[in-house]
Amino acid sequence: MGKVSIALRGWRFDESDVFTDEGDLRPIDEMDADTRERIVRLTVVAGQPCDACWLIHGDANIEQCNVARVVYGEPLHEVVVCADHEPDFLYWFREAGGADLTDRPSEFEDAFYEWFDDGNRAPEDYGGMQYVDTDPDEVPNPQPDVDMPTLEEELERMDDEELDALDVDLSDIDLEDA
C-alpha cells in the first residue's frame, strides 16, 4: 500500500494506517495517535473556506471565498488554502521564512496570515506543487452497502476514558449537532 491524501491534499497517510486489508476504514481507536489526530482534524477543516480568501473577503463576504483544497502545518495550527492561493503559501514557506517555523507550530499559521495580510504574494510565475495521481482506482473505498458510522458517531459512542486514551483535542468538534 502507498500514501494517500484524504479530504484535502497535503497531509498524507499510509493506506494501511487508515484502511484495513479489505478496504474498510479502520476504527479510529485502531489508528496511531498522529493519524487519528489528523483524521479528526480533517473532519473540521475539510469544506472550510481558504484561509487566504478569508483574509481578503472576511466573514461579511465569505461566499466569495474558495473552498480549501490543501492543508499544511500541524493539527490545530494548520493553514488551509485553495488551489489559487497554494502558490502564495508555498512561496511564503520556501522563500519567505515559513520553513523556519516548522518546529514552532503555534507560530506557523499566524506568521503566514500576517505575511499574506500585509499584501505579500508569490510572484506571478511562481510554480506550485506538482500533484500526480497514480492508480487512484487502487485506493480502497468503503463498500456502499456497508453502514459505516461517521467519525462523529464513533466518537460519540466512546466513553470519557476511551476518548482520553485517544490523546486528541476534540474541542473543535460539535458532537451535539452530529
Side-chain angles (χ1 to χ4, degrees), residues 145-156:
D145 58 339
V146 175
D147 189 24
M148 296 280 298
T150 65
L151 178 61
E152 289 84 358
E153 291 169 339
E154 196 170 331
L155 290 170
E156 195 170 80

Side-chain angles (χ1 to χ4, degrees), residues 1-4 14-17 19-23 26 138 140:
M1 289 191 164
K3 295 267 192 182
V4 350
D14 286 322
E15 287 180 59
S16 61
D17 290 347
F19 299 105
T20 65
D21 291 338
E22 294 77 31
R26 284 193 184 287
E138 295 299 314

Side-chain angles (χ1 to χ4, degrees), residues 127-146:
M129 291 288 276
Q130 296 295 319
Y131 294 100
V132 178
D133 286 331
T134 54
D135 299 324
D137 294 332
E138 295 299 314
V139 175
N141 287 318
Q143 299 299 317
D145 58 339
V146 175

Side-chain angles (χ1 to χ4, degrees), residues 151-169:
L151 178 61
E152 289 84 358
E153 291 169 339
E154 196 170 331
L155 290 170
E156 195 170 80
R157 283 195 303 248
M158 296 176 137
D159 62 32
D160 288 341
E161 188 175 298
E162 290 173 309
L163 290 171
D164 288 343
L166 293 177
D167 193 31
V168 174
D169 180 3

Side-chain angles (χ1 to χ4, degrees), residues 15-87:
E15 287 180 59
S16 61
D17 290 347
V18 180
F19 299 105
T20 65
D21 291 338
E22 294 77 31
D24 297 324
L25 192 62
R26 284 193 184 287
I28 194 158
D29 59 345
E30 290 182 13
M31 296 177 189
D32 67 64
D34 183 59
T35 300
R36 182 173 42 242
E37 184 176 21
R38 289 174 189 274
I39 293 289
V40 168
R41 189 64 185 152
L42 281 171
T43 67
V44 176
V45 298
Q48 293 298 312
C50 165
D51 288 341
C53 288
W54 182 82
L55 288 168
I56 295 168
H57 302 292
D59 287 332
N61 296 308
I62 196 107
E63 67 281 348
Q64 293 180 11
C65 295
N66 294 325
V67 174
R69 297 291 181 221
V70 188
V71 60
Y72 290 106
E74 295 299 318
L76 299 176
H77 302 289
E78 68 279 328
V79 173
V80 293
V81 291
C82 63
D84 293 344
H85 289 114
E86 186 179 21

